[in-house]
Amino acid sequence: MTGPLDSAGAAGLFELRAAPVGQLADQAVAIADACHAMAVRFHRGGKLVVFGTGGASADAQHVAVEFVHPVIVGKRALPAISLTTDVATVTGVAARDGMAAIFAHQIRYLAAPEDIALGICSDGDDESVAAGLAAARARGLLTIALTGGDGGLIVRDGLAEHVLTAPATDPRIVKELQV
């Protein structure tokens, strides 16, 4: 008798991740380009503005804290905020203007052209993340998206200057690759 996950099952789980990990590694130049563009914006005094809904909202908060309070000893802190932490603002905007407006509204009032907008979603089709990236581009922010699958709406509509896609349709694998 085997447990809920025997060695064959574990091997299968790793196999599901092998191709997406390799395809993500193929994006090394795109990742380096995005990082360089971010460094330029930070050097000019910009801050990182991160957002996502659902599980990606927790990821946005995690990314922001890693910049503001890096766990690597000696690493310089950089300014970053997550647009998912102010529940009063998020719910107020959603109640008045709809869920799709929650990040775009905040970007219009909290972000400056020298800033960096980082939108996170598992498939590229989250309307609130897409609208946030569109508002950021309109304001002149550097726009970066972490997506999954084929990048969805974010890729089709060209909403981000840099799109890093975790090439998987399983949201668990996408999240693992994004982290």
Side-chain angles (χ1 to χ4, degrees):
M1 177 179 266
T2 61
L5 186 62
D6 59 19
S7 62
L13 291 174
F14 280 101
E15 184 59 34
L16 288 174
R17 287 150 176 82
V21 167
Q23 291 168 350
L24 184 63
D26 291 342
Q27 297 178 56
V29 172
I31 294 167
D33 288 346
C35 291
H36 180 262
M38 289 175 69
V40 168
R41 293 293 178 117
F42 280 125
H43 183 72
R44 292 179 184 163
K47 67 183 168 295
L48 178 63
V49 180
V50 195
F51 49 95
T53 61
S57 68
D59 295 337
Q61 293 172 32
H62 184 180
V63 168
V65 76
E66 290 291 345
F67 278 82
V68 173
H69 183 67
V71 295
I72 298 170
V73 175
K75 184 177 175 189
R76 186 180 89 153
L78 294 166
I81 59 169
S82 170
L83 299 183
T84 65
T85 58
D86 184 348
V87 175
T89 297
V90 169
T91 58
V93 172
R96 189 185 67 211
D97 299 329
M99 188 68 180
I102 61 175
F103 303 130
H105 179 89
Q106 292 182 79
I107 285 168
R108 284 192 294 273
Y109 292 98
L110 298 173
E114 65 270 11
D115 294 339
I116 306 153
L118 173 60
I120 307 171
C121 63
S122 63
D123 60 8
D125 288 322
D126 184 302
E127 291 182 359
S128 58
V129 173
L133 288 167
R137 279 199 92 161
R139 288 191 55 78
L141 280 73
L142 172 67
T143 52
I144 302 171
L146 299 181
T147 69
D150 65 0
L153 171 70
I154 291 170
V155 168
R156 283 190 305 276
D157 289 355
L159 299 177
E161 294 164 78
H162 300 273
V163 180
L164 307 174
T165 303
T169 55
D170 183 329
R172 297 169 297 179
I173 295 172
V174 170
K175 183 176 175 74
E176 289 169 13
L177 294 174
Q178 288 175 341
V179 169

